[in-house]
Amino acid sequence: MNDTLHFPPATGIGSLPGTDAREAAKAATGSFEDFPHLPELPARGPGADMIGRTAGLLVELYARVEPSGWRIGDRPGRDTRRARSWLGEDLDVLEEFTQGYEGLLKVQAVGPWTLAAALELRNGEAALSDPGACRDLAASLAEGLRLHLEEVRRRVPGARLVLQLDEPSLTAVLRGQVKTASGYRTHRAVDRQTVEGTLRDVVGVHDGGPVVVHSCAADVPFALLRRTGVAGISFDFSLLTERDDEAIGEAVEGGTRLFAGVVPGADAPLSDPAGSVMGVRTLWRRLGLRPGLLPEAVTVTPACGLAGASPGYARSAYAHCVRAARSLADNPE
């Protein structure tokens, strides 16, 4: 799969500022003509946030908003209905803006481990505290994603779908750093093989289609993610250290696409496009990789979602990603 797929040079992560679905779809489809994505607008409120939106996709599991966060419940309530309604609105608008589109189209959802760290059980503790709950949650998510991908395919029949799983809590889950409800302790680390196996199952739901895992946390477990069969890994480039060099070199040589988040996710002065990808070129030299491989191996993105940015900055950041990617392709050295 990785060998035959040619990812375009730039795309967005997912979230955008504001509450206007049409403006968001215009930004995502207009900025990335060959790799648009389904926007997310958390500013609309609970159910439009990434946890709420993904909770709305679950099959035979429901969640509602409590003062402490999202909690699993017995039946679909107004929070589930609201999440599904907003997703439906976003899909309607995306469908309108992608009439006749043929190419890669990215949709995002929270991955099983970040979901397990964020969703509470009835006792107020994270689902992460209960291995059985984690299994049920992953199975429900997998089925929900399968149906969601089917729905998007029906609406945009010419597109080849890319599924992005957002896993910002993955490293904390592996290290036992997710806090308990009291805040005084942490949940024990989940066995790496269990984490890997669950991710592999959820990745496998996009049968034959490319899956990218995104994390804007430090110490992304590149080797573990590659073993789950993902086509790409999306990360905040500024958080890389030389400890990551070997894993990144192996990923590139194994055909895993790097989604390098080089453009700040919140309002900041933007350097010239070549300056934004200078660190990527430096990494390439350090790893001794062939410069001509750069455009074949790297997609340029913002460092994280842009929900906290101003609308003007978000548009500029998207345009900047496209220009930075062009700079990388034109001058790989």
Side-chain angles (χ1 to χ4, degrees):
M1 181 179 68
N2 298 8
D3 299 334
T4 56
L5 184 70
H6 295 290
F7 279 106
T11 192
I13 293 298
S15 66
L16 285 167
T19 58
D20 188 327
R22 293 187 67 78
E23 281 301 309
K26 194 187 296 181
T29 57
S31 305
F32 306 112
E33 292 175 6
D34 52 358
F35 200 0
H37 67 90
L38 176 65
E40 300 161 12
L41 297 172
R44 289 186 292 202
D49 60 301
M50 72 177 200
I51 298 298
R53 167 166 284 201
T54 301
L57 293 174
L58 296 174
V59 172
E60 293 180 3
L61 274 181
Y62 310 100
R64 63 178 186 272
V65 180
E66 297 284 342
S68 53
W70 284 89
R71 183 170 296 185
I72 294 170
D74 297 323
R75 59 184 70 84
R78 66 176 184 197
D79 297 320
T80 299
R81 287 194 291 274
R82 191 189 294 128
R84 290 175 177 174
S85 169
W86 274 325
L87 177 58
E89 181 187 336
D90 292 343
L91 288 171
D92 288 343
V93 177
L94 182 76
E95 185 177 354
E96 182 187 330
F97 278 89
T98 51
Q99 291 291 314
Y101 175 71
E102 294 182 351
L104 293 183
L105 169 65
K106 183 164 70 67
V107 297
Q108 306 83 220
V110 176
W113 293 107
T114 295
L115 201 59
L119 283 184
E120 297 173 359
L121 300 173
R122 288 174 185 78
N123 64 4
E125 286 297 351
L128 190 65
S129 64
D130 180 337
C134 290
R135 283 193 295 274
D136 291 347
L137 194 54
S140 172
L141 174 64
E143 180 59 13
L145 287 173
R146 190 184 65 74
L147 295 171
H148 179 47
L149 291 164
E150 226 169 65
E151 166 82 349
V152 182
R153 262 187 221 105
R154 187 180 63 72
R155 289 170 174 266
V156 194
R160 181 169 185 195
L161 300 186
V162 176
L163 172 61
Q164 175 181 304
L165 296 173
D166 292 320
E167 281 284 16
S169 301
L170 184 60
T171 301
V173 167
L174 287 164
R175 292 188 172 173
Q177 293 169 339
V178 176
K179 283 192 162 51
T180 57
S182 70
Y184 295 121
R185 295 186 303 111
T186 56
H187 294 289
R188 69 174 54 153
V190 180
D191 175 72
R192 293 182 81 85
Q193 285 181 309
T194 302
V195 169
E196 187 181 317
T198 300
L199 273 169
R200 190 182 295 111
D201 289 346
V202 176
V203 166
V205 85
H206 190 19
D207 191 25
V211 177
V212 174
V213 171
H214 166 72
S215 172
C216 45
D219 297 320
V220 174
F222 287 95
L224 182 150
L225 290 174
R226 285 182 56 226
R227 291 195 298 271
T228 67
V230 297
I233 301 172
S234 170
F235 54 95
D236 180 343
F237 191 85
S238 70
L239 297 178
L240 288 185
T241 68
E242 292 197 16
R243 284 201 314 272
D244 298 306
D245 280 8
E246 188 180 341
I248 286 189
E250 286 172 357
V252 171
E253 285 166 357
T256 304
R257 185 80 175 189
L258 302 180
F259 284 64
V262 297
V263 177
D267 291 39
L270 294 171
S271 66
D272 67 295
S276 292
V277 287
M278 191 187 303
V280 181
R281 292 192 184 95
T282 303
L283 170 69
W284 233 244
R285 281 196 294 274
R286 203 165 69 224
L287 296 176
L289 293 167
R290 184 169 54 81
L293 191 61
L294 263 174
E296 295 169 31
V298 174
T299 291
V300 174
T301 71
C304 213
L306 294 169
S310 65
Y313 176 80
R315 287 191 295 273
S316 299
Y318 274 8
H320 195 82
C321 286
V322 173
R323 288 197 295 269
R326 197 172 300 136
S327 159
L328 209 52
D330 292 347
N331 306 295
E333 301 198 51

